[in-house]
Amino acid sequence: FKHYFSESKSIIEIGPGSGYFSLIMALDGFKVLSTDITQSLYLWQSVLYDHFNILNEAAVNDIQTEFGKISHIPWWKFKNIYDWCNDKIDNIIINHAITEMHPFALRNLFYTANQIGNPSFFIGGLGHQFRVSSFWDIISIAQEFGYRLMHQNADIYLLEYNSNFKKLRNTD
């Protein structure tokens, strides 16, 4: 991740699964926001983050972000992140989960990204087990919101916002 985004300081991880990537990033000093829709994984992540004393559980506390901590956000609070998040978010990370997202959820995610300052996307693998959206569905939806694929190599995909790209796309 640092190879691609060396200046990044704050991230949102969508669908962190086991939670280890968010954990490593927080222990490395990043400001981390994390959300998962799967209740069993969300509970496991809470236990893991609490064990390392880096948890700010937003389900029961006010949402506070700080470096070296994880703001663990339930989906019902995350859906309105643009109403309460005043921090600059550098990147949105999705690790092996993006093809599990329905096109409606993808559009909501890219809309949300537009509302919080257009952070870059780091997608580590597409995910294969429950494929709902294809790679080209994802790219097409990203383009609707001004994002374009900037890098694709070894199952790593980087999407960046370009307002000119969105304007060009809308004139077709």
Side-chain angles (χ1 to χ4, degrees):
F1 175 82
K2 285 184 176 181
H3 173 76
Y4 297 105
F5 299 107
S6 60
E7 301 297 316
S8 292
K9 295 182 175 117
S10 62
I11 63 167
I12 297 173
E13 187 173 16
I14 307 293
S18 65
Y20 295 123
F21 187 82
S22 286
L23 173 67
I24 290 168
M25 299 302 280
L27 291 174
D28 200 23
F30 281 75
K31 185 182 294 186
V32 178
L33 291 88
S34 171
T35 189
D36 206 312
I37 198 165
T38 306
Q39 184 179 11
S40 59
L41 292 173
Y42 191 92
L43 293 172
W44 162 251
Q45 295 154 15
S46 292
V47 170
L48 177 68
Y49 304 155
D50 189 51
H51 176 76
F52 284 89
N53 199 31
I54 58 171
L55 174 66
N56 174 24
E57 183 53 69
V60 294
N61 300 318
D62 289 336
I63 299 167
Q64 300 173 356
T65 59
E66 55 186 292
F67 292 103
K69 297 280 187 177
I70 296 174
S71 296
H72 201 217
I73 306 164
W75 67 265
W76 63 88
K77 287 190 178 182
F78 179 79
K79 71 182 182 96
N80 296 320
I81 188 172
Y82 43 84
D83 288 338
W84 55 262
C85 184
N86 297 321
D87 295 323
K88 180 182 183 306
I89 303 298
D90 298 313
N91 302 98
I92 295 176
I93 297 171
I94 305 171
N95 192 7
H96 287 85
I98 197 161
T99 58
E100 298 172 23
M101 296 177 74
H102 187 275
F104 179 80
L106 288 169
R107 282 186 177 86
N108 187 59
L109 177 60
F110 284 106
Y111 172 81
T112 299
N114 285 165
Q115 299 302 308
I116 62 169
N118 304 306
S120 298
F121 279 76
F122 178 91
I123 301 168
L126 297 175
H128 302 288
Q129 189 175 18
F130 302 107
R131 185 166 290 202
V132 176
S133 298
S134 73
F135 173 75
W136 295 113
D137 292 337
I138 296 161
I139 297 304
S140 177
I141 291 168
Q143 289 174 347
E144 291 174 24
F145 292 88
Y147 281 87
R148 64 183 182 150
L149 182 65
M150 298 299 292
H151 175 84
Q152 176 184 355
N153 185 18
D155 217 17
I156 292 176
Y157 308 87
L158 307 180
L159 301 172
E160 291 191 7
Y161 180 78
N162 182 329
S163 60
N164 292 328
F165 184 69
K166 185 176 181 181
K167 290 176 187 171
L168 290 173
R169 177 98 170 124
N170 288 338
T171 61
D172 290 346

